[in-house]
Amino acid sequence: AAPGVGETSQPTAASQAAASPSEVEVNPGKVTVMVGDLANERLDYIHEGGGPGAHGYGRLLHAFLISTNEKTEFIPGVASQWSLSDDGLTWTFTIRKGVKFHDGSEVTPEDALWGLQHAIGPRAFEYITVADTAINYSKKMDRIELSGPDEVSVTTKEIVTELPVLVGEARGFYSLLMPKRAELYNSEVDIAYDNNPIGAGPMKLVNHVKAQVMSFERFDDYYYQPDNGFPEDKRPN
């Protein structure tokens, strides 16, 4: 649960200890999933059209700042740790080193900053086209900024204890984390992103036929691997 006012959350860091060598078998087959709809087939959170189809493909493509375990407890994701200020207004996230996007580039704090500003920043409500929830959160934001070499801080106008849910995989929607762009909002660039989406999630999109099918392949460089040293109780699903 999120800490209350005057409390500081206990940052949770993934273990860096080397795991013993193990053999992990990757099934060479494929999984076919039929959904009731593909929503509006947008891959950017601020344009996400809702519906179970959208939630499914978006969560395959994107990685989350905060992950969860089988008990739905918060555990490290792309953010290796996080904390809440004593006044309950500022959440600070430490961005894990070595996380990669599907194009091979490394996820940076600047990417996390851009994604948060793009989706829930103080001015995001002016251009968000679909995500009503993000509009509501945008209006509660004071500022989102880099607060250290590997840190991004989100400061709100009022206490928002559920912010870790908003940026984590415990929520039904998908992630705010994407490669940074030159502008926070540009409708033409946003559409171009849909045609060549780059995420940091466990699967990458390799084929998309509108209103018919989306095909994904396993992303071998996904930051979480079963044998990469995560303690048993800190492993993302």
Side-chain angles (χ1 to χ4, degrees):
V5 180
E7 298 178 353
T8 302
S9 63
Q10 296 300 314
T12 309
S15 171
Q16 300 301 315
S20 57
S22 60
E23 197 70 29
V24 178
E25 181 181 353
V26 177
N27 193 306
K30 66 179 181 179
V31 175
T32 301
V33 180
M34 180 177 290
V35 294
D37 65 79
L38 288 175
N40 62 4
E41 303 183 65
R42 303 296 299 268
L43 283 304
D44 183 330
Y45 172 73
I46 71 167
H47 302 296
E48 183 263 323
H55 301 166
Y57 59 71
R59 293 172 68 86
L60 291 175
L61 184 74
H62 296 292
F64 294 85
L65 289 180
I66 297 177
S67 189
T68 58
N69 61 17
E70 70 282 357
K71 299 177 183 178
T72 322
E73 297 170 328
F74 293 156
I75 60 174
V78 174
S80 59
Q81 60 185 32
W82 56 94
S83 61
L84 177 62
S85 62
D86 289 341
D87 62 7
L89 296 177
T90 300
W91 289 92
T92 300
F93 303 91
T94 301
I95 305 305
R96 183 188 303 277
K97 295 182 181 295
V99 178
K100 291 185 178 180
F101 284 117
H102 296 157
D103 65 354
S105 62
E106 186 167 333
V107 175
T108 66
E110 289 77 12
D111 293 315
L113 172 67
W114 185 90
L116 290 165
Q117 290 178 328
H118 172 69
I120 59 172
R123 302 199 61 176
F125 71 90
E126 298 176 4
Y127 54 76
I128 292 173
T129 60
V130 176
D132 291 340
T133 303
I135 292 174
N136 294 333
Y137 280 109
S138 172
K139 293 180 179 180
K140 297 178 181 179
M141 293 296 144
D142 179 16
R143 62 188 183 276
I144 303 174
E145 59 191 353
L146 295 174
S147 53
D150 301 310
E151 293 181 349
V152 179
S153 293
V154 178
T155 301
T156 55
K157 299 174 182 176
E158 59 188 74
I159 294 174
V160 182
T161 57
E162 70 275 20
L163 190 70
V165 178
L166 180 66
V167 302
E169 67 179 357
R171 190 164 174 259
F173 300 100
Y174 53 87
S175 175
L176 316 182
L177 183 66
M178 294 180 290
K180 64 181 183 294
R181 305 174 202 162
E183 302 173 73
L184 285 178
Y185 175 69
N186 181 309
S187 59
E188 293 182 1
V189 174
D190 290 357
I191 291 174
Y193 175 82
D194 289 332
N195 294 327
N196 184 30
I198 297 172
M203 308 290 283
K204 55 185 178 181
L205 185 66
V206 294
N207 183 43
H208 181 192
V209 180
K210 292 291 180 68
Q212 294 185 46
V213 65
M214 290 185 181
S215 297
F216 295 83
E217 286 183 355
R218 179 181 186 270
F219 179 44
D220 291 338
D221 288 329
Y222 181 52
Y223 77 92
Y224 167 70
Q225 299 293 331
D227 60 349
N228 71 352
F230 277 79
E232 287 292 337
D233 61 342
K234 303 299 180 186
R235 291 183 175 180
N237 291 330

